[in-house]
Amino acid sequence: MKNIAVIGTGYVGLVSGAGISDFGHNVVCADIDKNKIKHLQNGEIPIYEPGLHELVNRNVQSARLLFSSDVNKSIEDADVIFIAVGTPEGENGASDLTAVLEVARAIGKNLNSYKVICTKSTVPIGTGAEISKIINETSNNSIEFDYVSNPEFLREGSAVKDFLWPDRVIIGASNVRAFDIMKNVYRPLYINETPVIQTTIETAELIKYASNAFLSVKISYMNEIANMCDEIGADVHVVSKAMGIDGRISPKFLHPGPGFGGSCFPKDTKALVSMAEKFGTNLNVVESAIAANQLQKERMVKKLFKLLNNDVKGKTIAILGLAFKAQTDDVRESPSINIINALINNGANVKAFDPAANDNMKKLFEDLDTYMSWEETVKDADCVVIMTEWNEFRGINLSKLKELVKHPNLLDCRNILKIDDLEKQGFNYDNVGRKKR
Ligand code: UGA
């Protein structure tokens, strides 16, 4: 059992801290944001993430998980320190490492015994070396430490499951001592035969970006195939299903949609391209995926306008789904933002509903007219747009929907409604690569 400090209580920090305490270690999740820590100490979880509340409660009750705004003391008391603060987009697409380097300085100043310093935040290649340098410069040189890169692969919406049952654990370490300590942190997974891969620090840093960028490319590729289906009258569901049966392709991440969003793919693809430029190599494929994603978001706006014969002024449009994906309240880089902006700029009235993200979208659009159910939202609408694949939208009763709206126009950007049912009910509809001709 180890004493662990996790610095940063965002998605990655909070889920990792709770997950590691569930593995049997003593964990302090520390953050300089006193208000956030106060809420966490009161049992309030600041994000919507299925299963997180239970995981946190269980470990707080077992006294294995604590929250603290005393970052310095948390560092002093720990054997292993995880850096899990944000790395937002900085200039020219590169990552802004201000918070990470600030934590590195705090670690250096409070290094009172041998510790493993481990980065979970997504950081550019070479950051490990920079962090080690800062710790060396700010600490008493006689105290040893080891640096480890341990990228995280959890997804919002399934973060708890992804953390507790990951496909693999990557540990970039420069010696066996540090690797063994990290292996011990993940012992329950290790004994369960989850692949634990030991690499160099730089390789671990790259694995994270290479994985996220690959998935972004896969999505953009499928979106472009879906757009082609639109033009030739093919059904992208059948195409992707048949493609996915090929084990080399796999059926995952082959769902076309309104373009990828969230806090990771848009930021990490740009950061990887910026790193490639720095190292004098090319990442044309990733650059194209970024461009295709932008076009995909715009394409949804065009589809919507086309459905309404380019006459949106004064029309009432019901947007179902504001989060960038289902099972989260996160609206960062959500394709819904593009749709709402375009509608507002063209004089339409927007009514919106998301089961979890209304409040977050209202931070971006103060006057957004939000509702608490899809039924209220679609009432008297000239068009309904499905933007997020929440289960409650999958189950929409189309005859009831038709009764509620003013005009039965519907754009399904997630391909979740049955085409036969839409046709039977007489909807004027569109989707992403599945429209019958
Ligand atoms: C992503 C990665 O999947 C995680 O492995 C990684 O840890 C995380 O980024 C991160 O770097 O922190 P996340 O952004 O939470 O996770 O969500 P995803 O499920 O990957 O979805 C990303 C975007 O792709 C969403 O907008 C989603 O709607 C879209 N998507 C996903 C598709 O359009 N089609 C698909 O088939 C899959």
Side-chain angles (χ1 to χ4, degrees), residues 203-373:
T203 302
E205 289 170 342
L206 183 56
I207 288 169
K208 169 70 190 197
Y209 281 101
S211 303
N212 271 7
F214 179 78
L215 293 171
S216 307
V217 168
K218 202 173 176 190
I219 296 166
S220 272
Y221 176 73
M222 221 43 228
N223 282 340
E224 290 199 320
I225 292 294
N227 299 343
M228 205 170 162
C229 288
D230 272 340
E231 302 311 319
I232 62 180
D235 183 344
V236 73
H237 267 203
V238 182
V239 175
S240 66
K241 200 168 172 198
M243 282 171 64
I245 293 169
D246 185 331
R248 296 169 301 174
I249 296 174
S250 118
K252 292 181 182 163
F253 278 69
L254 280 188
H255 305 289
F260 57 76
S263 67
C264 304
F265 287 175
K267 171 173 77 76
D268 294 349
T269 43
K270 282 191 220 157
L272 187 60
V273 166
S274 149
M275 269 180 263
E277 273 167 21
K278 191 176 140 198
F279 290 108
T281 58
N282 287 323
L283 273 175
N284 296 327
V285 174
V286 180
E287 283 184 43
S288 297
I290 297 169
N293 196 51
Q294 186 53 37
L295 290 176
Q296 191 68 7
K297 289 182 175 179
E298 287 163 20
R299 188 176 167 93
M300 297 306 113
V301 174
K302 287 192 188 133
K303 272 179 179 281
L304 171 58
F305 280 45
K306 193 169 165 211
L307 210 55
L308 293 165
N309 299 317
N310 283 318
D311 179 20
V312 297
K313 194 157 187 235
K315 294 273 161 59
T316 299
I317 316 295
I319 307 284
L320 300 183
L322 301 170
F324 81 97
K325 60 181 271 190
Q327 301 292 347
T328 180
D329 59 359
D330 197 340
V331 300
R332 285 176 286 180
E333 303 280 336
S334 172
S336 297
I337 297 171
N338 301 58
I339 290 263
I340 295 171
N341 261 326
L343 288 171
I344 291 174
N345 291 340
N346 285 280
N349 306 314
V350 179
K351 295 176 82 183
F353 165 59
D354 187 284
N358 278 357
D359 290 348
N360 281 340
M361 196 55 103
K362 273 181 94 81
K363 289 179 195 156
L364 302 182
F365 298 95
E366 245 176 54
D367 300 326
L368 188 67
D369 208 1
T370 54
Y371 293 80
M372 298 306 285
S373 70

Side-chain angles (χ1 to χ4, degrees), residues 12 25 32 52 57 60 111 128 149-150 165 204 254 371 385 390 395 407 432:
V12 170
H25 303 287
I32 50 170
L52 184 56
N57 275 352
V60 166
L111 195 71
S149 168
N150 171 222
W165 294 278
L254 280 188
Y371 293 80
V385 187
W390 285 97
H407 295 113
V432 191

